[in-house]
Amino acid sequence: MTNVETPPYVPGHALLDGRTAVITAAAGAGIGGATARRFLEEGARVLVSDAHARRLEECRAALADEFGQASVTALPCDVTDETQVRALFDTAVREHGRLDVVVNNAGLGGTAPLADMTDEQWSRVLDVTLNGTFRCTRAALRLMRAGGGGVVVNNASVLGWRAQAGQAHYAAAKAGVMALTRCAAVEAAAYGVRVNAVSPSLAVHPHLAKVTSAELLEELTAREAFGRYARPWEVANVIVFLASPYSSYMTGEVVSVSGQHP
């Protein structure tokens, strides 16, 4: 198996200069946090959100120290709560004057055999991962329809296409995110909004490493063509592309960010 080192970090090129973005589940070292950083490096103003208020404030403070207080704001939001979702998007417009990009990154995993899975386990994963993406996409489209355009990027997963034991709830939710993306894109095209999704295979960060066994991570990594997992910023780079004018003719697409063997 090939073992390829992580490539050098890609510097910003002002691809999102002047745009305002909302990014959910952006606290911490995962894909959301990496996306917030990449957006700021590309010149965007960012409203970061997360259900974990303390971690979110730490994230905001660190980014604001680096990129300036005016470039990044934060608001806690539980995407299962419609009132909090509405407040998040109202804040984006109030603080930054407009809304150009939304990255729906909030999701919830877990492992349970289907025969032993409880209704609560199933419903909780679906409510955060699929219903939360629906709520935020709906709020975004309402504002973007009135504002004359915008971009939505959803975070799906290769498990929306591929099977993995113990992941029936998560896989079903991510397959739903893919279908939601395609349907929303068809509707939103009429008012100049593009809706796409990324579908990562394995992007490892400290939180994932804490909740996933070393044995499973080793097994999943072995399936990757490069012999390594993705860094969160490598997925964020594709999100930047989908949010930028470089993908101006793409909508309703689910882009695999994967190095897996067939």
Side-chain angles (χ1 to χ4, degrees), residues 11-23 34-47 71 96 98-103 144 150-153 194 235-248:
H13 290 81
L15 297 181
L16 302 175
D17 196 29
R19 288 171 171 77
T20 294
V22 169
I23 304 171
T35 300
R37 171 170 292 277
R38 294 300 289 128
F39 272 45
L40 288 163
E41 290 169 346
E42 295 292 350
R45 298 180 300 272
V46 172
L47 171 57
S71 295
H96 297 293
R98 56 182 295 156
L99 178 65
D100 301 296
V101 182
V102 172
V103 179
M144 291 174 176
V151 180
V152 177
V153 183
R194 299 188 297 108
V235 179
N237 284 347
V238 182
I239 295 174
V240 167
F241 164 72
L242 291 174
S244 79
Y246 278 108
S247 60
S248 60

Side-chain angles (χ1 to χ4, degrees), residues 79-97:
V79 297
T80 69
D81 186 322
E82 174 63 13
T83 299
Q84 293 187 39
V85 169
R86 290 187 181 183
L88 175 65
F89 286 88
D90 288 345
T91 298
V93 175
R94 184 176 66 252
E95 294 291 331
H96 297 293

Side-chain angles (χ1 to χ4, degrees), residues 104 126 129-131 133-134 137 153-163 170-186 195-201 251-258:
N104 287 315
L126 267 289
T129 307
L130 178 56
N131 296 346
T133 300
F134 154 69
T137 300
V153 183
N154 296 324
N155 191 0
S157 167
V158 294
L159 290 186
W161 291 313
R162 303 168 183 170
Y170 186 73
K174 290 300 190 179
V177 169
M178 293 177 177
L180 172 65
T181 297
R182 291 188 287 264
C183 291
V186 171
V195 187
N196 293 292
V198 293
S199 180
S201 55
T251 197
E253 296 295 329
V254 180
V255 180
S256 179
V257 188
S258 171

Side-chain angles (χ1 to χ4, degrees), residues 57-137:
E57 175 52 27
E58 291 173 353
C59 171
R60 184 210 63 79
L63 292 173
D65 284 346
E66 186 172 352
F67 296 98
Q69 297 292 330
S71 295
V72 55
T73 52
L75 185 71
C77 178
D78 178 349
V79 297
T80 69
D81 186 322
E82 174 63 13
T83 299
Q84 293 187 39
V85 169
R86 290 187 181 183
L88 175 65
F89 286 88
D90 288 345
T91 298
V93 175
R94 184 176 66 252
E95 294 291 331
H96 297 293
R98 56 182 295 156
L99 178 65
D100 301 296
V101 182
V102 172
V103 179
N104 287 315
N105 177 65
L108 180 68
T111 300
L114 185 58
D116 301 322
M117 189 178 295
T118 66
D119 283 6
E120 194 280 330
Q121 287 174 306
W122 173 271
S123 297
R124 179 62 178 163
V125 169
L126 267 289
D127 199 18
V128 174
T129 307
L130 178 56
N131 296 346
T133 300
F134 154 69
R135 293 182 188 98
C136 291
T137 300

